[in-house]
């Protein structure tokens, strides 16, 4: 199971159509179909009840969708938190000997 497969599966669940999910995700329809088939094969379950122009979730598909949504939310939240940690800027520390700081930089030190 790959994250991209979960994203494709959840998109199809939201739009009830592989075509619409493919358009929203800017990928081809076969890519989404293959990802869903791989998930179904891996877990030996049928995720969708397919009709001519509509896809609806099976009971197993509904459970899988709930779990996949939670996983994707957790992944997105964790990624966001880690990117924020990487963006934090360390403070700049300037070392000045005490004698120089009293003679040359007293105004600057007072302002801090």
């Amino acid at each position: 199971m790959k994250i991209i497969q979960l994203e494709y599966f959840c998109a199809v669940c939201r739009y009830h159509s592989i075509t619409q999910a493919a358009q929203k995700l800017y990928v081809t329809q076969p890519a989404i179909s293959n990802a869903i088939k791989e998930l179904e094969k891996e877990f030996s379950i049928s995720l969708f009840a397919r009709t001519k122009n509509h896809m609806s979730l099976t009971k197993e598909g509904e459970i899988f969708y709930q779990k996949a949504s939670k996983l994707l939310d957790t992944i997105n939240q964790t990624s966001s938190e880690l990117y924020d940690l990487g963006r934090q800027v360390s403070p700049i520390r300037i070392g000045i000997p005490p004698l120089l700081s009293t003679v040359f930089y007293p105004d600057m030190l007072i302002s801090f």
Side-chain angles (χ1 to χ4, degrees):
M1 177 173 49
K2 299 176 184 170
I3 295 172
I4 196 74
Q5 292 173 325
L6 295 178
E7 289 174 350
Y8 290 172
F9 170 74
C10 288
V12 172
C13 292
R14 281 192 299 271
Y15 300 115
H16 302 286
S17 166
I18 291 177
T19 304
Q20 289 180 1
Q23 290 173 349
K24 299 291 182 180
L25 296 173
Y26 303 106
V27 295
T28 62
Q29 293 174 7
I32 292 181
S33 295
N34 290 336
I36 291 172
K37 285 178 187 175
E38 288 175 16
L39 285 173
E40 290 177 331
K41 184 178 177 182
E42 182 177 350
F43 296 110
S44 300
I45 57 175
S46 178
L47 298 172
F48 289 102
R50 293 163 174 87
T51 59
K52 193 171 189 177
N53 292 325
H54 187 74
M55 297 182 74
S56 58
L57 288 170
T58 60
K59 290 180 184 178
E60 297 88 1
E62 290 177 15
I63 294 168
F64 192 82
Y65 176 66
Q66 291 172 358
K67 302 280 185 184
S69 294
K70 288 179 186 177
L71 278 171
L72 290 174
D73 288 342
T74 302
I75 289 168
N76 290 335
Q77 182 181 6
T78 303
S79 295
S80 175
E81 289 173 5
L82 291 175
Y83 284 130
D84 289 343
L85 284 175
R87 290 184 189 145
Q88 290 180 352
V89 178
S90 313
I92 297 175
R93 301 183 196 283
I94 301 173
I96 302 173
L99 181 61
L100 290 176
S101 65
T102 58
V103 175
F104 295 108
Y105 302 103
D107 295 332
M108 187 187 330
L109 289 174
I110 290 172
S111 66
F112 280 118

